[in-house]
Amino acid sequence: MRLLEAFYQAQAAFYAGGDDAADLRGLLADDIAWHVPGAGHYRGHQEVWGYFGARRAHAKATFRVRPRAILADDQQGCIWPTAHLERDGQLRTWQTVGVFRTAGGKIAECWLVPFDQYLFDELWS
């Protein structure tokens, strides 16, 4: 559970516009895989980091994720966050579930599942 909490803290700092991403990168396994319906599948630090960077740029550093619940052990975890970003002067909010596989004390894989795929696609297109 601490790994996922640390991930969301580091991710929040990055999405808020923070320059130091070493903490976030250090939580991801070398062979990280990230799966997002409607956005694609990303493998390795370069692709996953590119995806994170594109989201930050698209949201103009207004993207925030607040975990509402975390259920995890040393191999897997689920997080139920609420997220929001500012778009056209309006605060837009959505919910997802993140399913994580961990290995060696790092995040090895994530499947992000939006509750409302249409809203998710609208906000990130």
Side-chain angles (χ1 to χ4, degrees):
M1 183 151 58
R2 288 187 189 125
L3 172 62
L4 297 181
E5 289 171 340
F7 170 75
Y8 273 94
Q9 288 174 357
Q11 187 184 53
F14 174 75
Y15 283 144
D19 290 330
D20 182 15
D23 290 342
L24 183 56
R25 283 181 192 257
L27 299 170
L28 305 177
D30 291 340
D31 60 348
I32 181 72
W34 210 265
H35 312 281
V36 184
H41 303 279
Y42 307 92
R43 298 195 181 277
H45 275 251
Q46 185 173 352
E47 287 185 11
V48 171
W49 200 252
Y51 171 69
F52 289 171
R55 287 172 58 117
R56 180 170 93 164
H58 179 79
K60 299 177 178 71
T62 66
F63 179 32
R64 302 292 182 272
V65 180
R66 183 180 57 82
R68 293 176 293 123
I70 299 174
L71 176 63
D73 61 22
D74 61 348
Q75 295 179 350
Q76 57 209 351
C78 287
I79 297 181
W80 292 267
T82 297
H84 67 265
L85 63 80
E86 190 175 310
R87 185 105 190 249
D88 300 323
Q90 293 184 323
L91 189 63
R92 305 293 304 269
T93 303
W94 69 97
Q95 294 180 348
T96 61
V97 63
V99 179
F100 292 83
R101 181 177 60 82
T102 60
K106 295 189 177 199
I107 295 171
E109 196 159 14
C110 174
W111 294 265
L112 183 65
V113 182
F115 287 9
D116 183 337
Q117 185 69 52
Y118 296 110
L119 175 61
F120 188 84
D121 290 347
E122 174 191 335
L123 294 173
W124 292 109
S125 63

